[in-house]
Amino acid sequence: MSRARRLGIQAAALAVAALWAYLTWTRPEVGAVERDRFLVWERDAAEVLSVRYVSPEKDVRVERRTDAAGAFLWGIETSADVGGGPREYPVGTAGETLVGRLASLRVIRDLGRMPAGERKQYGLGDPRERIELEFRDETKELLLGDSVYGSDARYALDSSAEAGYVLAGEMVRPLRTGEGALRERWIHEFRERAVARVRVSAGGRERVMVHTEEGEWTTPGSQEPDPGFANFVQRVEQLAIGRYDDLPAAEDLAPLLRIDYFDDDGDAMGFLEMFRHDGAERDPYYLRSERTRILARALTALADRVAEGLPDLF
């Protein structure tokens, strides 16, 4: 293996590790700091039908949708600096966290009722940004004003109550960033240690393997660990999503691999499909899973390692 390629794989692996750390830090939990903030309204996140951020530069909408697998969040985004139609993508952990925080809105400060004559000093005289929160039975609108001096917190106005607040920066920042902050980055919600059995299909062949309590991979009925298969699973687990835009037509993709994951009770946990676009000039690999729902472009260095392991899999 060339030195350049080794460096590419190492960089991709480091990116995955950094992403895991980031998403661990942003799990949808209410910390001590948030609990001490003023509670404006409290609703269940499942009651949120959509969240929309609108500014002259960007329109970002996060919708709650449902398919046979259950409910999920979906992003639709248009930007003034990006041509073409709306970009769509599955929403990941950071977006789920944001929706939960907006559903139960806690603010840094309650400024009380804010008459029209007082709004200009907070940048709320003619606001250029707003967040619309649609529940099943009502809609909330937060108009966004200036940043608070020395921080990224924002002055905001609840248009229906005419009440002013200081809104924490993390309530606005992901929506302003859009896809880069909100899109799904994980292939699965579960980790390898939670999997009891897998079925791997590739090139018309199939292989079933069992994950033991000791963390080894064996064939059903055998106690002999298979280190080669364990290495292959490790490569698969390192796969990472690059982006969701500029996807090829389905007929241009050649299927390489499908893995189905099962728990101790034999229930399906999820799946992974891997494809290759042989006509692509670069980044030819694509993934689809129960988490992405649509095709996602894979990081090439990591997907290459999985593709190289396929001939020895059976």
Side-chain angles (χ1 to χ4, degrees), residues 221-252:
S222 171
Q223 300 299 317
E224 188 69 26
D226 188 329
F229 189 83
N231 178 263
F232 176 77
V233 170
Q234 185 178 44
R235 293 186 183 191
V236 170
E237 195 173 30
Q238 291 173 347
L239 286 170
I241 294 168
R243 59 186 194 273
Y244 291 90
D245 62 321
D246 194 24
L247 300 176
E251 57 267 22
D252 293 333

Side-chain angles (χ1 to χ4, degrees), residues 7-282:
L7 290 174
I9 292 172
Q10 291 170 0
L14 286 172
V16 172
L19 176 60
W20 171 250
Y22 168 78
L23 292 180
T24 300
W25 297 333
T26 55
R27 290 189 188 280
E29 299 174 353
V30 178
V33 173
E34 288 182 83
R35 280 195 295 269
D36 289 340
R37 292 174 180 170
F38 178 80
L39 181 62
V40 179
W41 61 67
E42 187 170 23
R43 302 287 296 268
D44 193 299
E47 297 180 67
V48 178
L49 299 182
S50 69
V51 173
R52 186 183 181 196
Y53 166 81
V54 181
S55 75
E57 294 78 28
K58 187 170 291 187
D59 187 322
V60 179
R61 182 178 175 89
V62 175
E63 296 181 346
R64 184 173 302 281
R65 296 184 177 182
T66 304
D67 62 11
F72 60 97
L73 296 177
W74 195 255
I76 306 169
E77 178 177 336
T78 55
S79 300
D81 57 347
V82 179
R87 300 191 305 281
E88 299 195 20
Y89 47 87
V91 171
T93 303
E96 293 168 353
T97 300
L98 176 66
V99 170
R101 286 173 170 165
L102 288 171
S104 294
L105 182 65
R106 295 175 181 268
V107 297
I108 297 174
R109 283 181 61 198
D110 175 16
L111 301 176
R113 187 175 181 278
M114 188 179 291
E118 297 180 7
R119 297 175 189 174
K120 187 175 181 180
Q121 63 181 308
Y122 299 104
L124 291 164
D126 185 20
R128 292 163 49 86
E129 301 170 78
R130 71 179 187 273
I131 296 174
E132 299 171 359
L133 188 62
E134 182 185 3
F135 293 101
R136 299 184 187 278
D137 56 352
E138 64 176 335
T139 300
K140 298 285 191 180
E141 181 183 59
L142 292 170
L143 305 178
L144 302 177
D146 294 338
S147 296
V148 177
Y149 180 76
S151 77
D152 65 349
R154 299 288 296 275
Y155 293 111
L157 178 73
D158 179 347
S159 60
S160 60
E162 296 188 337
Y165 306 107
V166 174
L167 201 61
E170 66 262 23
M171 309 292 281
V172 182
R173 193 185 314 113
L175 290 168
R176 295 190 72 191
T177 302
E179 181 178 3
L182 298 173
R183 68 179 174 85
E184 178 60 74
R185 297 175 182 273
W186 286 109
I187 298 172
H188 308 292
E189 288 185 294
F190 55 85
R191 306 294 287 174
E192 179 194 344
R193 59 180 174 269
V195 178
R197 182 170 60 91
V198 297
R199 182 175 63 238
V200 183
S201 306
R205 304 180 71 180
E206 186 175 285
R207 185 175 182 182
V208 175
M209 295 292 286
V210 177
H211 200 201
T212 68
E213 293 182 359
E214 293 75 25
E216 305 283 1
W217 286 100
T218 69
T219 56
S222 171
Q223 300 299 317
E224 188 69 26
D226 188 329
F229 189 83
N231 178 263
F232 176 77
V233 170
Q234 185 178 44
R235 293 186 183 191
V236 170
E237 195 173 30
Q238 291 173 347
L239 286 170
I241 294 168
R243 59 186 194 273
Y244 291 90
D245 62 321
D246 194 24
L247 300 176
E251 57 267 22
D252 293 333
L253 295 175
L256 294 182
L257 171 72
R258 179 180 171 103
I259 305 178
D260 291 281
Y261 299 86
F262 303 90
D263 63 17
D264 285 326
D265 296 323
D267 295 328
M269 300 174 65
F271 69 92
L272 169 66
E273 294 176 323
M274 183 172 168
F275 305 86
R276 182 168 55 210
H277 185 199
D278 292 327
E281 295 182 3
R282 52 174 297 182

